[in-house]
Structures are given as structure tokens and as C-alpha cells.
């Protein structure tokens, strides 16, 4: 089991303030809907319907999107996806791409792959941009630098861009905007994710807060062909625009308490040439539908539900472990409760296998999830899979077997309990329980067990 | 319960008897299997679950002063004992109750005639709150206690960080959770923190004494049974 360290108390306080603010705003936002529970149920049903008939809807999406002039490509692995994007960049002859925030591109480590080919991918979401400047992965599903204070952000920008220090959010935004503007006006390759792929219309729905998603996907550059590539998971498909609209109502409210993210972009295809009525928009739109382990979740009835996730981040906001350990401690692109369900399905590593155990199973995540995923029960299932795959060390498995045998024979159990009192004693017990007793006391064993007391006075 | 909180168990028996019920304690019982289940070792857990069902199946109702054990039986036994194609039918799951919900929902009792002249706060154990949806029942029982002043915790309601083996496998995070919980408890000015789950009480209690706090952990049944 790999450890999950806690953040220092100052960082915890900064993070806690930001997360609790989001939770408060969510609470107020949700309180305006007396039928919030019914809305969650409907969102759950929409996602369940989509995932249950995933292949049907994927086919429908592909047909409709193709008819709109979008090139739809199914990719099985991260490498395949990265190679595809790099090939487009080469064809266009560009060395820079502008990117809207996308967890899937983090999942496949697209930026590194492009860098290896000499292509610089520039993050244009403000938080993501700052994370990129300091070479850090996003800290949170929706808020990449939620752990940083305003002062820290100011220092990072001053440091990396050589601008005068300020901690004023408006000024900070303007500084970043200046840098990005220049890139936006010349970029010919735009990369994004997609929040939903709408099957009936073949359109992509993308939400952002700064409008950068729109810039990355419309690409106002004047010289030469322009291409938008959207990379998303196969699970992101929803049957209808109405379904997407419903999910949209829950998405921002759950994550940040906002009614809607500031910009909702609906992409129906490349710029239309015939008639020449559209002057902006890319010449090509490509959609990569990525599997990368998702089908293994689809096949497992206990994990399928995790595919309903709309990446709102609420489960992280409410998670007591996330609050204390923070996003980077997970060492996984997908962190927080749902990340601990996803990670072992996507990556067969020791680290990923540890994550489902790093939970007290309190269930706060499942209660807040707008699509009602039983997140903590899925964690329990991932623990079982980890044990099945031999991720629980032999000595531990033997210890559990011994424990089970002890618990199956009351005489053995009684012997163990007597031995703990008479032969072993509190000093040794405390030493054995070191990880506990280093920071907490272990209450003394009762002088007499219940069964002894009961035997003495059964009819008390 | 057997090892650390025998008084809570005795209190449950005493209260149920006083209410006119016949109470038995099958001495061959040990553990419901939850620790192994949470560790991912379902075969070990299933062996104990079967044993549990065998021992308790003859009773009209099984009452436990522990939210997580009841959640194990009620919410997880059907899945655990299923054949892989679907959950098993476990009638006992529907007859297994947490102490406070049994009193309030089943027996319609809230006032046990107890008196306790103290300021008390109540900790919502996660399994009671979110697996069993037991939230109001213990509060109604507490409010009926003469002299008792109930002050609510203002922290979420957040987990205390116990989580079984979680507390020893991830001690850093678990410890900070307990520290925050204890700080919230102390802010209430209560003398006692009451809960319905032994694990939480051990964890919170262990942090309270380590920090030299005057607040004492107390099981709901003990308080109601008037042992404290
Ligand atoms: S699991 Fe639910 S709460 Fe967590 S990010 Fe996904 S949709 Fe949001």
C-alpha cells in the first residue's frame, strides 16, 4: 500500500476555504430547486440510458456528426490518440496548438507527446495555464489551481512572465489574457475535450468559464487551414440535446454553485463553405472517441455506473480525504473519490490499485453526485478487484485468513481476547498498533468482555 | 463492543428487557465480516457472513449498537452472498436493526425515562447517516433525556476519519480528520460526544485523550441505559 500524505495545515486551510466556498454556493444553488432530488434521478437515468446502450448511441453520434462534416475517429489507447493529433499538427506544419481545458488530454498526456514532436501545446484555461507554467498537473477535476492563493498565483505570473507582481484577480486575468490573445489570433490547431457528444444531432457540447473554449474551437487565424480536434471518452455520449441541457443544469451547480458555466459552446461541424456565409470556424473538425480502459468498466456491472460521471468535481469538494491530502497526493490525473474508482480501471499500476483503499468510505461523495453514482460502493468493488489481482500482499491475505479462522471458532476468539489481556498487555498492543498510537490513544481493553459480563449476569 | 464497549451492549440488553422484550445473546457470535469485506477479501467475509446468518436466523429481530455492522448485514450481505449473477435473498437483512432506529422506528419509543444533566453533542457516524439513513432517531432519543442539552456539531456532518483499516493504512489523513472532528466537538462546549458506532467512538476518544481534552466519548446506549 503506498502512502497518501496529508498537506500541511496552511495548504489545507487554503484548499479548505476554496472547497467549502464551492460547497456553500452549491447548497444555495440547489436550495432553489425543491425537486433537486428528482433532477438528480433524471440525470442518473439519462446517463444510465446512454451507457447501457453505448454502442448504439456512439454509432448514431458518428453518423450524425459525419453528416455534419465532422471526422469521427475511434481510438483505443492513449498512444493512438496522441499520434493522431501529432500527425495533424505535422500536416498543418504548426509548432503551436491552443488547448481548452480537458481532462481526457491530461489522461493521455497529450502535451508531453506533442512536446516530444516539437509541438508546444498551450493551455488557455487560466487555471490550467498557471498549472502548466509551474509544470504541475491539475489539482482538481474542474479547478486546476484550487489549492493556490491569489498571492501565489501572482508570484507565479511575475516569476514566469516577468510582469510586475499583483494579487488582484482582474489584473492577473488581464495579464494572462494578453499572452493568450496573441496565441489565439495566430493558432491554426485547437484542441479541446467535450462535455457531451449529442447523438441525435452529432454535435459537441463544451463548457468553459472564460470563453477560451470558443477561441480554441473557432480559431480566428487568417492564414492557412485551421483544425479543431476534440478528444473525449466514449462515455460522454448522450442521446438528445434535451438530455444534454438537463445535465448542463446540474453540472455547474454541483461543481461550483454557479447556475451555468459562463460559456456553453455547441459545435456542429467545420465552417460551411457552400454559400460562404460563415467566415469563422475551422476548416476541419475531428472528434476522437477514446476507450483507454473504459470498456473494461462498461463490462463490469459494478463499475459501469462510474461511467455516468459528468466530471463536475463535487465529489472532490465534499471528500474529507481530498480536503486533507489534496489532488496531487493521488498521483493520478483523475483524483478525488471518482478518480479512485477510475484510476485502477485505466492504469494497472500499484499506485492506482492503492487509491480505492485510501477512503474512509464515508459516502459523502455518493450523496452529492448529481448523477447519483454509488461512488463509495464502487470503491469497495475496486478493493475486491485489487485483492483478486494479487495487489493485496500475501502476508496480509494470510493475516486475514487467520483472522477469519479465529472469528469462526468462538473458542479461538475467546482465547485471543484473553491472551490480549493477560499475556500480551497494553504496552505491546500499543506498539503493534503504532500507526494508530503515534497520533491517537488506543482505549484500554475493557477489564471484562461483554460475553464475560453477560455470562455473570445474563438476566440483569 | 465485546472488547472495548461491553457496557453499551449491556445497556442495549437492559433497555430492551425493560421494554418487555426477550433478549438473547448467542455466545457463538463473533464478527459480521465487515473488516475483511472492506479489505477486498470477500471470500473471508462471506464465510463469516454465512456464519452470522446461521447463528441469527432464528430470531425475530437482531439489534446491534453499531451502525456499520448493521449496514454490513443489511446493505452488503445480499451482494456478498450473491452468486455473481445477482444479489442473494437474505431475509435476515430486513430484520437486523441499529439500536436507535429499532427503538424509534420499530418500537415507537423515544422517551426511556433517562436523565443526564449534561451538555452533549452527537456525532453522525457515516454508516448510520449514509448507509442506514439514521439521523433523526438518535436525536429524538437524546432530546427526550431529562436535563440533557443537545448541541449540534457544525462540521458537515464530517467523517471522523476512522474507516476501519483506513485509520492505520493512511494514518496521516485519518489523524487530521480526527483532529478536525475533535476541534469541532470542542467548539460546541459539550462535555460528552455521543455516537452510535464503536469505531468512531474509539477514534474520537483516542484523539480526545491524546489532546488532553475534557470531553468524553459515550455510546448512545450507555447514556440511555443510565450507566454513565
Ligand atoms: S462522480 Fe459525480 S460528483 Fe464526482 S465528478 Fe463525477 S459527476 Fe461529479
Amino acid at each position: 500500500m503506498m502512502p497518501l500524505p496529508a498537506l500541511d495545515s496552511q495548504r489545507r486551510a487554503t484548499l479548505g476555504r476554496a472547497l467549502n466556498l464551492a460547497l456553500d454556493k452549491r447548497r444555495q444553488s440547489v436550495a432553489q430547486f425543491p425537486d433537486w432530488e428528482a433532477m438528480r434521478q433524471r440525470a442518473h437515468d439519462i446517463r444510465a440510458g446512454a451507457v447501457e446502450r453505448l454502442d448504439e448511441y456512439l454509432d448514431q453520434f458518428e453518423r450524425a456528426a459525419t453528416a455534419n462534416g465532422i471526422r469521427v475517429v475511434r481510438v483505443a489507447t492513449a498512444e493512438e490518440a496522441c499520434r493522431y493529433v501529432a500527425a495533424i499538427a505535422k500536416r498543418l506544419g504548426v509548432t503551436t496548438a491552443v488547448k481548452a481545458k480537458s481532462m481526457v488530454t491530461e489522461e493521455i498526456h497529450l502535451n508531453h507527446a506533442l512536446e516530444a514532436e516539437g509541438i508546444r501545446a498551450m493551455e488557455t484555461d487560466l487555471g490550467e495555464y498557471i498549472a502548466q507554467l509551474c509544470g504541475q498537473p491539475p489539482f482538481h477535476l474542474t479547478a486546476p489551481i484550487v489549492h493556490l492563493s491569489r498571492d501565489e498565483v501572482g508570484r507565479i505570473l511575475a516569476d514566469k512572465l516577468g510582469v510586475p507582481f499583483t494579487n488582484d484577480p482582474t489584473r492577473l486575468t488581464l495579464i494572462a489574457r494578453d499572452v493568450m490573445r496573441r496565441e489565439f489570433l495566430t493558432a491554426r490547431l485547437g484542441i479541446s475535450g467535450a462535455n457531451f457528444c449529442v447523438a441525435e444531432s452529432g454535435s459537441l457540447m463544451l463548457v468553459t468559464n472564460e470563453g477560451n473554449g470558443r477561441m480554441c474551437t473557432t480559431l480566428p487565424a487568417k492564414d492557412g487551414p485551421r483544425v479543431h480536434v476534440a478528444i473525449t471518452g466514449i462515455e460522454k455520449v448522450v442521446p438528445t440535446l434535451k438530455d444534454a441541457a438537463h445535465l448542463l443544469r446540474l453540472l455547474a451547480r454541483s461543481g461550483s454553485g454557479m447556475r451555468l458555466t459562463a460559456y456553453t459552446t455547441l459545435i456542429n461541424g467545420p465552417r460551411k463553405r457552400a454559400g460562404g456565409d460563415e467566415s469563422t470556424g475551422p476548416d476541419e473538425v475531428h472528434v476522437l472517441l477514446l476507450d483507454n480502459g473504459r470498456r473494461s468498466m462498461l463490462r463490469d456491472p459494478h463499475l459501469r455506473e462510474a461511467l455516468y460521471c459528468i466530471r463536475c468535481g463535487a465529489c472532490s469538494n465534499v471528500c474529507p480525504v481530498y480536503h486533507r491530502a489534496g489532488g496531487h497526493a493521488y498521483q493520478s490525473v483523475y483524483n478525488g473519490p471518482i478518480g479512485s474508482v477510475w484510476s485502477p480501471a485505466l492504469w494497472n499500476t500499484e499506485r492506482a490499485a492503492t487509491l480505492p483503499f485510501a477512503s474512509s468510505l464515508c459516502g459523502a461523495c455518493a450523496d452529492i453526485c448529481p448523477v447519483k453514482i454509488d461512488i463509495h460502493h464502487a470503491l469497495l468493488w475496486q478493493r475486491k478487484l485489487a485483492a483478486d489481482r494479487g495487489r493485496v500482499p500475501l502476508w496480509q491475505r494470510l493475516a486475514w485468513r487467520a483472522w477469519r479462522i479465529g472469528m469462526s471458532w468462538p473458542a479461538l476468539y475467546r482465547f485471543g481476547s484473553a491472551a490480549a489481556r493477560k499475556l500480551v498487555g497494553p504496552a505491546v498492543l500499543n506498539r503493534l498498533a503504532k500507526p494508530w498510537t503515534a497520533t491517537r490513544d488506543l482505549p484500554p481493553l475493557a477489564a471484562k468482555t461483554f460475553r464475560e459480563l453477560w455470562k455473570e449476569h445474563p438476566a440483569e | 463492543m465485546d472488547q472495548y464497549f461491553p457496557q453499551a451492549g449491556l445497556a442495549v440488553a437492559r433497555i430492551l428487557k425493560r421494554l418487555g422484550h426477550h433478549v438473547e445473546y448467542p455466545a457463538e457470535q463473533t464478527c459480521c465480516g465487515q473488516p475483511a469485506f472492506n479489505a477486498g477479501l470477500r471470500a473471508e467475509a462471506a464465510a463469516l457472513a454465512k456464519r452470522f446468518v446461521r447463528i441469527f436466523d432464528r430470531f425475530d429481530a437482531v439489534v446491534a449498537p453499531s451502525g456499520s455492522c448493521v449496514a454490513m448485514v443489511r446493505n452488503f450481505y445480499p451482494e456478498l452472498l450473491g452468486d455473481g449473477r445477482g444479489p442473494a435473498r437474505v431475509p435476515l437483512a430486513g430484520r437486523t436493526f441499529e439500536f436507535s432506529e429499532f427503538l424509534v422506528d420499530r418500537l415507537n419509543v423515544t422517551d426511556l425515562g433517562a436523565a443526564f444533566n449534561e451538555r452533549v453533542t452527537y456525532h453522525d457516524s457515516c454508516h448510520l447517516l449514509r448507509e442506514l439513513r439514521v439521523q433523526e432517531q438518535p436525536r429524538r432519543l437524546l432530546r427526550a433525556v431529562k436535563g440533557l442539552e443537545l448541541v449540534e456539531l457544525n462540521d458537515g456532518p464530517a467523517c471522523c476519519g476512522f474507516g476501519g483499516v483506513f485509520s492505520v493504512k493512511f494514518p496521516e489523513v485519518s489523524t487530521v480528520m480526527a483532529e478536525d472532528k475533535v476541534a469541532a466537538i470542542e467548539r460546541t462546549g459539550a462535555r460528552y460526544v455521543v455516537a452510535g458506532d464503536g469505531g468512531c467512538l474509539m477514534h474520537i476518544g483516542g484523539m480526545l485523550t491524546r489532546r488532553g481534552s475534557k470531553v468524553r466519548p459515550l455510546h448512545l446506549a450507555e447514556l440511555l441505559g443510565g450507566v454513565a
Side-chain angles (χ1 to χ4, degrees):
Chain A
M1 223 41 31
M2 298 163 83
L4 192 79
L7 297 166
D8 65 59
S9 59
Q10 204 185 335
R11 180 69 58 205
R12 283 204 308 274
T14 310
L15 176 64
R17 260 193 306 277
L19 299 177
N20 288 334
L21 182 70
L23 286 176
D24 277 348
K25 288 207 296 201
R26 174 196 171 272
R27 208 169 297 123
Q28 291 163 18
S29 185
V30 164
Q32 292 163 5
F33 293 89
D35 59 342
W36 181 255
E37 280 313 305
M39 288 167 67
R40 282 177 79 211
Q41 187 58 47
R42 192 174 152 218
H44 175 94
D45 294 343
I46 289 171
R47 293 297 296 134
V51 169
E52 285 305 321
R53 293 161 60 193
L54 189 65
D55 282 312
E56 240 172 86
Y57 288 120
L58 282 173
D59 288 344
Q60 192 191 355
F61 170 76
E62 183 169 348
R63 277 196 305 275
T66 308
N68 292 344
I70 296 176
R71 295 184 211 178
V72 179
V73 188
R74 315 261 182 133
V75 281
T77 63
E79 297 77 61
E80 223 180 292
C82 292
R83 238 183 293 127
Y84 189 93
V85 182
I88 292 181
K90 291 234 164 98
R91 171 160 63 80
L92 289 172
V94 298
T95 51
T96 303
V98 285
K99 268 187 76 196
K101 182 175 157 23
S102 138
M103 288 310 293
V104 174
T105 58
E106 295 288 338
E107 169 189 334
I108 62 176
H109 298 294
L110 179 64
N111 293 6
H112 290 294
L114 291 179
E115 213 179 280
E117 305 278 341
I119 302 144
R120 183 176 62 104
M122 164 147 181
E123 297 292 346
T124 65
D125 171 270
L126 182 56
E128 197 76 50
Y129 172 64
I130 289 159
Q132 189 182 34
L133 281 180
C134 11
Q136 287 186 356
F139 198 86
H140 184 277
L141 286 178
T142 57
I145 53 163
V146 64
H147 61 307
L148 297 181
S149 69
R150 264 195 288 152
D151 283 348
E152 286 171 315
V153 173
R155 274 197 296 277
I156 291 166
L157 286 188
D159 246 30
K160 304 279 176 185
L161 304 180
V163 295
F165 170 84
T166 170
N167 62 6
D168 172 40
T170 316
R171 302 245 311 275
L172 289 170
T173 313
L174 286 177
I175 294 170
R177 207 173 75 151
D178 249 15
V179 179
M180 283 171 202
R181 268 290 127 163
R182 289 196 296 272
E183 305 279 351
F184 281 140
L185 294 178
T186 53
R188 291 200 289 119
L189 176 57
I191 300 169
S192 76
N195 292 85
F196 306 111
C197 300
V198 184
E200 66 171 356
S201 60
S203 34
L204 298 173
M205 198 179 266
L206 188 67
V207 302
T208 60
N209 265 322
E210 295 143 19
N212 59 313
R214 205 158 281 185
M215 298 300 273
C216 290
T217 56
T218 48
L219 301 163
K222 292 279 177 288
D223 52 337
R226 291 158 286 149
V227 178
H228 166 216
V229 188
I231 309 167
T232 193
I234 49 172
E235 84 285 4
K236 288 287 170 62
V237 72
V238 293
T240 65
L241 276 165
K242 214 169 145 201
D243 293 335
H246 181 73
L247 295 171
L248 211 53
R249 296 172 75 203
L250 288 99
L251 176 62
R253 283 190 175 90
S254 297
S256 65
M258 297 197 309
R259 267 186 292 174
L260 270 184
T261 33
Y263 294 84
T264 302
T265 309
L266 201 64
I267 296 163
N268 283 310
R271 171 162 48 97
K272 305 260 184 308
R273 269 167 244 236
D277 56 337
E278 288 183 356
S279 58
T280 60
D283 298 277
E284 297 168 24
V285 175
H286 300 242
V287 177
L288 307 194
L289 298 170
L290 176 72
D291 174 359
N292 205 32
R294 286 165 176 76
R295 283 194 184 272
S296 74
M297 298 170 82
L298 187 63
R299 278 190 299 271
D300 185 333
H302 289 92
L303 295 181
R304 192 173 299 157
E305 210 178 65
L307 292 171
Y308 302 177
C309 177
I310 56 174
R311 301 272 184 267
C312 72
C315 54
S316 293
N317 295 351
V318 81
C319 174
V321 174
Y322 182 90
H323 269 246
R324 274 69 176 208
H328 290 160
Y330 292 75
Q331 294 173 35
S332 175
V333 171
Y334 296 114
N335 54 39
I338 192 65
S340 296
V341 178
W342 272 62
S343 299
L346 264 46
W347 298 286
N348 185 16
T349 59
E350 171 85 29
R351 182 67 208 169
T354 298
L355 295 178
F357 294 89
S359 159
S360 66
L361 301 173
C362 80
C365 46
D367 271 6
I368 205 168
C369 176
V371 290
K372 294 182 78 163
I373 301 172
D374 248 335
I375 304 173
H376 61 310
H377 294 165
L379 286 173
L380 273 166
W381 185 254
Q382 283 290 24
R383 291 183 184 190
K384 176 207 179 286
L385 295 181
D388 291 353
R389 291 177 189 141
R391 291 284 184 187
V392 175
L394 182 66
W395 70 268
Q396 274 182 26
R397 273 180 287 146
L398 291 176
W400 279 111
R401 166 131 330 152
W403 172 84
R404 190 259 294 163
I405 293 169
M407 288 293 174
S408 303
W409 300 94
L412 271 181
Y413 170 84
R414 281 196 304 275
F415 172 76
S417 113
R421 280 175 179 70
K422 305 211 171 80
L423 301 175
V424 185
V428 179
L429 281 182
N430 276 344
R431 192 124 31 93
L432 283 176
K434 197 70 193 289
W436 174 296
T437 54
T439 52
R440 296 148 287 188
D441 291 338
L442 196 61
L445 289 165
K448 285 187 177 175
T449 64
F450 176 85
R451 61 187 71 229
E452 288 164 345
L453 292 166
W454 183 261
K455 223 164 156 186
E456 289 165 16
H457 308 282
E460 191 194 5
Chain B
M1 283 299 138
D2 190 31
Q3 300 291 333
Y4 285 101
F5 301 101
Q7 294 303 334
L10 289 180
V12 172
R14 193 178 306 128
I15 289 167
L16 292 177
K17 275 184 191 169
R18 219 164 55 210
L19 293 170
H21 298 275
H22 172 73
V23 182
E24 277 188 45
Y25 175 82
E28 66 271 35
Q29 67 175 287
T30 54
C31 174
C32 66
Q34 183 187 206
F37 183 75
N38 287 354
L41 297 158
R42 297 206 172 184
E44 313 291 356
L48 291 180
K50 284 186 194 132
R51 196 173 172 273
F52 183 98
V53 173
R54 202 165 59 236
I55 292 169
F56 285 99
D57 227 6
R58 66 191 166 93
F59 295 101
D60 298 329
V62 180
V63 179
S66 160
S68 64
C69 308
V70 174
M72 179 68 197
V73 175
R74 192 188 297 167
N75 296 5
F76 298 115
Y77 271 17
E79 178 189 327
L80 176 63
L81 298 174
D83 56 3
R85 270 165 302 173
R89 237 178 55 81
V90 184
L92 184 64
R95 303 203 305 278
T96 303
F97 302 97
E98 186 276 329
F99 167 68
S100 73
E101 71 169 346
F102 187 70
L103 288 181
V104 176
D105 298 347
R106 286 283 137 166
L107 304 182
N108 278 315
V109 177
T110 47
D111 190 352
L112 293 161
F116 198 67
N117 257 323
E118 295 287 356
R119 178 185 280 209
V120 163
T121 188
Y122 176 77
H123 162 69
D124 281 291
S125 295
C126 299
H127 281 101
L128 270 138
L129 180 66
R130 301 201 187 86
E131 291 291 349
L132 303 175
R133 303 291 172 194
V134 171
Q135 184 170 23
E136 265 313 298
Q137 296 90 326
R139 288 176 170 82
R140 287 177 62 188
L141 290 163
L142 285 172
R143 280 196 211 101
V145 173
K146 266 171 241 35
L148 185 147
E149 184 197 353
L150 179 63
V151 201
E152 288 291 346
L153 276 170
N154 188 13
D155 72 339
C159 175
C160 73
F162 174 62
V165 281
F166 170 77
S167 59
V168 282
K169 274 190 180 157
F170 301 95
E172 277 197 34
V173 171
S174 166
T175 294
V176 181
M177 287 165 74
E179 281 170 359
D180 291 349
K181 174 57 73 178
V182 163
I185 291 169
E186 294 204 312
R187 278 198 299 274
T188 65
R191 281 263 294 144
Y192 289 88
V193 52
V194 173
D197 212 307
C200 313
L201 286 169
M202 262 176 84
H203 198 228
I204 293 171
M207 185 55 80
L208 284 169
T209 54
R210 177 62 58 97
R211 305 212 334 179
S213 169
K214 299 239 161 3
V215 186
R216 292 279 80 96
L218 184 60
H219 195 286
L220 176 70
E222 260 184 89
L223 189 155
L224 297 174
V227 203

